[in-house]
Amino acid sequence: MSYYRFQFGRQLTPAIRVLIMSNAIIFFIGMLLPQLNRYLIVFGGLVPELFLKRFFIWQPFTYMFLHGGFMHIFFNMFALWMFGSELERQWGTPFFLKYYFISGIGAGILSAVIQPASAIPIIGASGAIYGILLGFAIMYPNRVVYINFLFPMKVKYLVMLFAAIELLASMGGAGIRDGVAHITHLSGMAFGYLYLLWNQQRRKISKYINFDFFKRDRNSKDFTRPPAKTPKEEEKELEDLMDRIAEHGYDSLSDKEKIRLLELSGKYPKHRS
């Protein structure tokens, strides 16, 4: 079983970098210019009545770049970085961006259709973020994360829990009381799932994703590990690690690389110094 570890020093992937910077810039502009921010929320947020009756067709796109407060944007961007970086590396930037925007735009459109007479703006990247969570659970269902940094839970169960909470909240009318677009969150998951399923059926992304979430669950396999390397590749990897130690010292290795060094040294003892 593998665990999700925070790596704050790792480099941002291209799409994640652009998305975080874009959201942050727009947020700080709005914070510095309150009057402009109100204009942005009305015309750039997703107002179902304006979108459906006055054809503000840009709103399902622009609403994803607006946020209502610092904690709102912080948690959205943190989740985007935490779960989206690995998906972008796995899928590639073009497909990742398609998935992100289809989840977010689809979530916005469906939310507007469900409540067509609403004049309350919907803002935030949460619809796309919930799509990212769903995609991460499909790719790495047995990856373990820590809730509140304390309680371990497999990602597939975490996403199921989130989906259940959002479903119950939307059915109970919690969105009116807490100002959270629970329907948008669920819609992001739904569109993300349907988009992956559609692409898998068309065999368009066979090289990007193995879409077999439920089979993985039944067999209790850990699909988060990389494909096994050949003995020749492992020996080369061990040689590279030993060369780095000789040149820069043992402390130049990361914790993961130190564990890997122990594993390979046990398999190929002739490389020990």
Side-chain angles (χ1 to χ4, degrees):
M1 183 181 298
S2 61
Y3 293 81
Y4 193 96
R5 294 185 178 181
F6 292 100
Q7 298 178 358
F8 291 105
R10 69 184 177 187
Q11 185 178 6
L12 290 174
T13 50
I16 300 297
R17 183 188 304 111
V18 172
L19 289 171
I20 290 178
M21 289 180 62
S22 300
N23 279 274
I25 289 171
I26 293 172
F27 175 76
F28 284 113
I29 289 175
M31 186 174 65
L32 294 172
L33 302 172
Q35 290 184 343
L36 176 62
N37 190 52
R38 286 191 289 269
Y39 177 85
L40 288 174
I41 289 176
V42 172
F43 290 93
L46 178 57
V47 182
E49 187 177 25
L50 295 179
F51 168 62
L52 295 173
K53 296 181 180 179
R54 298 184 60 180
F55 304 106
F56 284 23
I57 58 175
W58 60 86
Q59 289 188 342
F61 175 81
T62 55
Y63 88 104
M64 292 188 290
F65 294 91
L66 300 170
H67 291 83
F70 178 77
M71 298 308 294
H72 187 199
I73 188 173
F74 173 79
F75 282 112
N76 274 349
M77 296 302 101
F78 181 76
L80 176 61
W81 166 79
M82 181 176 176
F83 297 103
S85 297
E86 199 158 355
L87 285 183
E88 184 180 353
R89 291 190 184 97
Q90 180 73 20
W91 289 343
T93 299
F95 183 81
F96 174 81
L97 283 174
K98 288 180 184 177
Y99 178 81
Y100 178 86
F101 284 113
I102 285 174
S103 297
I105 292 172
I109 293 175
L110 185 57
S111 299
V113 170
I114 291 175
Q115 43 189 357
S118 174
I120 301 174
I122 300 171
I123 57 175
S126 299
I129 298 302
Y130 271 73
I132 294 296
L133 290 174
L134 188 279
F136 192 91
I138 289 173
M139 289 300 298
Y140 311 104
N142 295 312
R143 183 71 59 85
V144 174
V145 297
Y146 284 88
I147 310 301
N148 293 330
F149 300 98
L150 294 174
F151 308 105
M153 180 180 290
K154 288 185 177 181
V155 172
K156 59 187 175 184
Y157 300 133
L158 176 66
V159 171
M160 290 178 188
L161 176 63
F162 280 178
I165 291 173
E166 295 301 324
L167 179 61
L168 292 174
S170 61
M171 292 175 61
I176 299 175
R177 297 189 299 271
D178 58 21
V180 177
H182 299 286
I183 293 175
T184 306
H185 298 170
L186 285 172
S187 301
M189 284 186 169
F191 272 89
Y193 181 87
L194 292 174
Y195 181 63
L196 290 179
L197 183 62
W198 177 76
N199 275 281
Q200 191 271 343
Q201 294 296 329
R202 289 169 57 90
R203 302 297 178 187
K204 277 189 170 184
I205 58 169
S206 58
K207 65 179 180 178
Y208 296 119
I209 182 172
N210 294 316
F211 193 89
D212 203 6
F213 175 68
F214 295 106
K215 183 177 180 180
R216 294 176 191 177
D217 190 21
R218 290 196 301 270
N219 293 339
S220 297
K221 294 181 180 178
D222 185 0
F223 282 75
T224 64
R225 300 181 184 274
K229 294 183 177 180
T230 65
K232 186 175 180 180
E233 290 174 332
E234 288 187 331
E235 288 187 347
K236 177 63 168 58
E237 182 182 2
L238 179 56
E239 289 176 1
D240 292 340
L241 291 173
M242 297 300 293
D243 289 342
R244 284 181 55 190
I245 292 174
E247 185 174 354
H248 302 290
Y250 180 74
D251 290 336
S252 65
L253 302 181
S254 66
D255 291 340
K256 184 176 180 180
E257 288 171 333
K258 291 175 182 177
I259 294 172
R260 183 62 173 162
L261 177 64
L262 290 175
E263 294 176 352
L264 294 175
S265 297
K267 294 178 67 175
Y268 307 101
K270 67 179 182 178
H271 288 278
R272 291 179 180 174
S273 57

